Amino acid sequence: MVFLGTASCFPTPTRGVSCTALQLDDGQVWLFDCGEGSQIQLQKSSIKPGKITKIFITHLHGDHLYGLPGLLCTLGNGLDPATGHNTVIELYGPTGIRKFVTTALGLSRSPLVFSLSVIEIVPTQQQYPADWDSWKVDHHLQEEFKLPQECGYRKVECNKDGFWPLLSSKAFKVNAAALEHRIPSFGFCVRESDGAGSLDADKLLGLGIKPGPIYGKLKAGKTVEHEGMVLEPSQFIGSPVKGREIVIFGDTCESSQILKITKAPDLFIHESTNENALKEQCIQYGHSTPAMAADIAIRAKAAKLVLFHLSPRYKPVGEPLKKEGDYSASTLLAEARDYVQQQNSGLVVEIAHDLMEIEIPKKNKV
Amino acid sequence: MVFLGTASCFPTPTRGVSCTALQLDDGQVWLFDCGEGSQIQLQKSSIKPGKITKIFITHLHGDHLYGLPGLLCTLGNGLDPATGHNTVIELYGPTGIRKFVTTALGLSRSPLVFSLSVIEIVPTQQQYPADWDSWKVDHHLQEEFKLPQECGYRKVECNKDGFWPLLSSKAFKVNAAALEHRIPSFGFCVRESDGAGSLDADKLLGLGIKPGPIYGKLKAGKTVEHEGMVLEPSQFIGSPVKGREIVIFGDTCESSQILKITKAPDLFIHESTNENALKEQCIQYGHSTPAMAADIAIRAKAAKLVLFHLSPRYKPVGEPLKKEGDYSASTLLAEARDYVQQQNSGLVVEIAHDLMEIEIPKKNKV
């Protein structure tokens, strides 16, 4: 997990706005949010932009969104125009994301080289604020405004269990849950499938069995008879590997819906815009304090909480405070840890800074 | 004049994309183009974002445009929400600019605090490429999608003299001319009005005349009789000050239309994306070489040419080239200067780097 931008509101020369990259074992990169300047942050990081295959947008506020058209244009630069359309990038985001991207790229006449598939997450009526219609902005794209590179479009509605099933492959499930904010906002839960245990090749070699069809059969869970021996898979296959689970939040001031889609996440990434003393103001703007973040992470039985989306007034931990009125992110970290201690929870808490990387180790199932 | 971003195509951690700020004597700032990350570049510069009163967009390509929604959001942050609407920012750009801004800010539900007035420059049919309609993107905003902060909207068509008169105040005239590019693109000419010469107060004091109504009458060009003396304005008013003229280009591969709106500009800011040897490729993508830039600047009788919008492959002048395949902007500068010498012109040529500032001195009329 690479934190490309950890500030809220607006980017500065030293801090980016929301953008977080999940690097998968197979090399793919999934991006979560894309505030203005995310493509610049990517260049500073270890992430290869060409490996991005999916982009998830939590909500349509500018500090999570306005870097998207530029990034999409730049991603095409590295591709061969003749074959680039074979590369498909999936874009997930709330209703309106398709209109935003299509309008920006369409007005600029920016050919993307790769193919773009848009999946819109349709908010429920409850997610819209009372003044929603006063703006008179249609979030739906008129049919005729399709980008030439668009290779697919679908909508995902909230299911009867109260969440949005976005993706379900052999290796991953991604679900979204509604977060309370000033506009429709979502939290994503990425769950890796459990993996089979590994084959104990040394043990097989000790019995004189060399790599070949027998290895494949044992891996597939079949009992094998070989030169008078009965080989049971359980003798040679290690414990299964537990799939990892990561939760990544958009902005929110109330997020209990997330509990519908999580089960003991390894990593819980939650906004923490302002300190506990500013809770009232925080909630008024649809945001969270460190104690609020820690509370939901504990309730979700998360192993580790990482705070991000910090107001720019909080300088990164360890950076000297130069003048009165300067605040440190260490305040936010301490407040979350205090709350965890009060609750006698074992939750580990960290606070993100730009370009911070976190590895999520695999665990054998117990 | 402050060059906030001088690279073409995409921003990097060390170079911004197109954004140039003109600081007026009265403190106002006019911005020309606003590529992604321009608000970050502004923070690094001497420009106070709160002084921006007008933004001119040359064309709708992303490297000139995608920083605009974020900048507009951030500009409102410094204003008092109760009185902010009294501040009006004028946005000029090709047809489609209103749809772009309204869609981006509308989908994000971003209230601007200040009032926004949009002036669309309507391209002529000749400016559209042959494949224009294949994208099926409507550049016009439907009437119902008006931003709550929008306080004015008008369109400027090409006049019978072949240019777009954008603004005409007591102090300034701004006209636009069509530039040939892949999409409709414009060059702007900002002309300051000639100023009256200054009153020679020392001379008046020497005659025993103290500051008062007589000073005002002389400044207004009136002859004054005072204690038997006949005071003629010409005796006490210095030479008039010549208004300065600045030309700022969007992307182009052919720009002779600009000659319709310029008369001997003090400063001519022209794109120079690639070197002379790449002229064919440059023109294919609608761009210019140093020789092309110098040629039109000479024809316009400019005093000084500044090259900008350089391909990111050209490192800033003076920056060491680290590996084979690295190129220096000094190549572009030398090529433009060579061309000027060949033409026996007195044109001064410079090349812009990020955060470079140029002052345009006032001159007395000869």
Side-chain angles (χ1 to χ4, degrees):
Chain A
M1 205 86 215
V2 182
F3 292 84
L4 295 162
T6 60
S8 68
C9 209
F10 58 86
T12 66
T14 53
R15 308 260 300 270
V17 281
S18 291
C19 186
T20 312
L22 174 63
Q23 182 134 33
L24 305 181
D25 290 340
D26 66 1
Q28 275 186 77
V29 171
W30 292 1
L31 215 60
F32 293 83
D33 283 333
C34 191
E36 183 179 353
S38 291
Q39 63 169 312
I40 305 173
Q41 297 297 101
L42 272 165
Q43 291 172 55
K44 296 180 190 168
S45 80
S46 62
I47 297 289
K48 291 193 175 72
K51 297 292 185 184
I52 295 171
T53 54
K54 296 184 201 303
I55 301 171
F56 298 85
I57 302 294
T58 62
H59 65 299
L60 301 183
H61 274 156
D63 55 340
H64 299 252
L65 178 66
Y66 286 167
L68 186 56
L71 177 70
L72 291 176
C73 290
T74 305
L75 286 184
N77 288 347
L79 292 170
D80 178 350
T83 58
H85 63 274
N86 294 325
T87 299
V88 177
I89 294 182
E90 285 187 337
L91 171 64
Y92 296 80
T95 299
I97 189 78
R98 183 172 177 239
K99 179 166 177 176
F100 174 74
V101 165
T102 304
T103 303
L105 297 175
L107 289 173
S108 301
R109 304 282 150 143
S110 300
L112 283 182
V113 186
F114 59 84
S115 298
L116 183 71
S117 178
V118 182
I119 300 96
E120 283 197 323
I121 311 170
V122 182
T124 59
Q125 273 311 313
Q126 296 98 294
Q127 286 184 269
Y128 291 109
D131 67 346
W132 187 254
D133 289 332
S134 68
W135 278 65
K136 304 200 186 308
V137 176
D138 182 2
H139 279 231
H140 299 281
L141 186 70
Q142 313 263 341
E143 200 52 48
E144 61 266 38
F145 300 165
K146 195 179 148 184
L147 283 182
Q149 298 82 12
E150 206 177 324
C151 68
Y153 169 57
R154 64 185 173 90
K155 298 178 189 182
V156 181
E157 307 261 357
C158 185
N159 67 14
K160 65 175 172 40
D161 297 319
F163 67 87
W164 287 256
L166 299 186
L167 184 157
S168 182
S169 69
K170 202 175 159 189
F172 289 99
K173 269 199 172 63
V174 181
N175 294 318
L179 304 178
E180 206 171 309
H181 189 46
R182 303 202 305 279
I183 61 170
S185 178
F186 293 90
F188 298 113
C189 178
V190 179
R191 187 178 303 137
E192 188 183 36
S193 302
D194 292 342
S198 53
L199 192 71
D200 191 340
D202 286 346
K203 200 170 175 183
L204 286 164
L205 288 169
L207 296 171
I209 303 167
K210 290 185 182 158
I214 294 175
Y215 281 53
K217 284 178 185 168
L218 288 169
K219 272 190 197 168
K222 289 178 186 160
T223 303
V224 179
E225 287 196 32
H226 176 69
E227 297 180 358
M229 290 184 283
V230 176
L231 312 172
E232 293 292 345
S234 60
Q235 293 173 277
F236 304 98
I237 304 282
S239 317
V241 178
K242 194 171 179 299
R244 292 161 289 186
E245 186 178 296
I246 296 166
V247 173
I248 303 176
F249 261 39
D251 293 358
T252 189
C253 58
E254 205 294 312
S255 59
S256 52
Q257 297 285 317
I258 200 75
L259 301 176
K260 291 180 176 171
I261 58 171
T262 57
K263 47 176 190 188
D266 297 85
L267 185 58
F268 198 103
I269 303 170
H270 195 298
E271 71 125 304
S272 177
T273 307
N274 265 311
E275 63 203 68
N276 290 344
L278 300 172
K279 183 176 175 179
E280 200 178 326
Q281 183 190 332
C282 231
I283 291 177
Q284 191 192 337
Y285 286 96
H287 291 300
S288 296
T289 63
M292 290 164 72
D295 187 70
I296 189 72
I298 292 170
R299 286 161 65 199
K301 300 185 176 55
K304 185 185 275 187
L305 166 67
V306 177
L307 305 175
F308 76 157
H309 192 270
L310 320 175
S311 159
R313 77 196 210 117
Y314 299 101
K315 306 274 171 254
V317 174
E319 198 173 287
L321 303 182
K322 285 175 190 160
K323 55 183 196 301
E324 213 180 341
D326 272 1
Y327 298 85
S328 172
S330 59
T331 305
L332 304 174
L333 179 59
E335 288 185 346
R337 285 181 174 165
D338 282 352
Y339 186 86
V340 168
Q341 204 168 23
Q342 285 161 26
Q343 303 295 314
N344 293 315
S345 160
L347 178 70
V348 175
V349 186
E350 291 189 21
I351 196 157
H353 55 82
D354 279 25
L355 307 182
M356 180 170 102
E357 302 195 4
I358 288 189
E359 201 170 338
I360 307 135
K362 288 187 178 184
K363 284 182 296 197
N364 282 339
K365 251 190 165 163
V366 275
Chain B
M1 205 88 215
V2 182
F3 292 83
L4 295 161
T6 58
S8 68
C9 208
F10 58 85
T12 66
T14 53
R15 308 262 299 271
V17 280
S18 291
C19 186
T20 312
L22 173 63
Q23 182 134 32
L24 305 182
D25 290 341
D26 66 1
Q28 276 187 75
V29 171
W30 293 1
L31 214 60
F32 293 83
D33 283 334
C34 191
E36 182 178 354
S38 292
Q39 63 169 308
I40 305 173
Q41 298 298 102
L42 272 164
Q43 292 172 55
K44 295 181 192 169
S45 80
S46 63
I47 297 289
K48 292 194 173 72
K51 298 291 186 184
I52 295 171
T53 54
K54 296 186 201 299
I55 302 171
F56 298 85
I57 302 294
T58 60
H59 65 300
L60 301 181
H61 274 156
D63 55 338
H64 299 252
L65 178 67
Y66 287 166
L68 186 57
L71 177 70
L72 292 176
C73 290
T74 305
L75 285 183
N77 288 347
L79 292 170
D80 179 350
T83 58
H85 63 273
N86 294 326
T87 299
V88 176
I89 294 183
E90 286 187 336
L91 172 63
Y92 296 81
T95 300
I97 189 78
R98 182 172 177 237
K99 179 165 178 178
F100 174 75
V101 165
T102 304
T103 304
L105 297 175
L107 290 173
S108 301
R109 303 282 149 144
S110 300
L112 283 182
V113 186
F114 58 85
S115 298
L116 183 71
S117 178
V118 182
I119 299 96
E120 284 196 323
I121 311 168
V122 183
T124 58
Q125 273 311 311
Q126 297 96 296
Q127 285 184 271
Y128 291 109
D131 67 347
W132 186 254
D133 289 332
S134 68
W135 278 66
K136 303 199 186 310
V137 176
D138 181 1
H139 279 232
H140 298 281
L141 188 70
Q142 312 263 342
E143 200 50 49
E144 62 265 38
F145 303 164
K146 196 180 147 184
L147 282 181
Q149 297 83 13
E150 205 176 323
C151 68
Y153 169 57
R154 63 185 173 92
K155 297 178 190 183
V156 181
E157 308 260 357
C158 185
N159 66 13
K160 64 175 173 41
D161 297 319
F163 66 87
W164 287 255
L166 299 185
L167 185 157
S168 182
S169 69
K170 201 174 161 189
F172 290 100
K173 268 200 173 61
V174 182
N175 294 318
L179 305 178
E180 206 171 308
H181 188 47
R182 303 202 305 281
I183 62 172
S185 178
F186 292 90
F188 299 112
C189 177
V190 180
R191 186 177 306 137
E192 189 182 33
S193 301
D194 291 342
S198 53
L199 192 70
D200 191 340
D202 286 344
K203 200 169 175 183
L204 285 163
L205 287 169
L207 297 172
I209 303 167
K210 291 187 182 158
I214 295 176
Y215 282 54
K217 286 180 185 165
L218 288 171
K219 271 190 196 169
K222 290 179 186 160
T223 302
V224 178
E225 288 197 30
H226 176 68
E227 297 180 357
M229 291 182 283
V230 176
L231 311 172
E232 292 291 344
S234 59
Q235 295 174 273
F236 303 97
I237 304 281
S239 317
V241 179
K242 195 172 179 297
R244 293 161 287 185
E245 184 178 298
I246 296 165
V247 173
I248 304 176
F249 261 39
D251 294 357
T252 189
C253 58
E254 205 294 311
S255 58
S256 52
Q257 297 285 317
I258 201 74
L259 301 176
K260 291 179 176 171
I261 58 171
T262 57
K263 48 176 190 189
D266 297 84
L267 184 58
F268 198 103
I269 302 169
H270 196 298
E271 71 125 306
S272 177
T273 307
N274 265 309
E275 63 204 68
N276 290 343
L278 300 172
K279 183 175 176 181
E280 200 178 327
Q281 183 190 331
C282 231
I283 291 177
Q284 189 191 339
Y285 286 96
H287 292 299
S288 295
T289 62
M292 289 163 71
D295 186 70
I296 190 72
I298 292 169
R299 286 161 64 200
K301 300 184 176 55
K304 185 185 274 188
L305 166 67
V306 177
L307 306 175
F308 75 157
H309 192 272
L310 320 174
S311 159
R313 76 195 211 120
Y314 298 101
K315 307 274 170 256
V317 173
E319 197 172 288
L321 303 182
K322 286 175 189 157
K323 56 184 196 300
E324 213 180 339
D326 272 1
Y327 298 84
S328 171
S330 58
T331 305
L332 303 174
L333 179 59
E335 288 185 347
R337 286 182 174 166
D338 282 352
Y339 186 86
V340 168
Q341 203 166 24
Q342 285 162 29
Q343 303 295 316
N344 294 315
S345 160
L347 178 68
V348 175
V349 187
E350 291 189 21
I351 196 157
H353 55 82
D354 280 25
L355 307 180
M356 180 171 106
E357 302 195 4
I358 287 188
E359 201 170 338
I360 307 135
K362 288 186 178 187
K363 285 182 296 198
N364 282 339
K365 253 189 164 165
V366 276

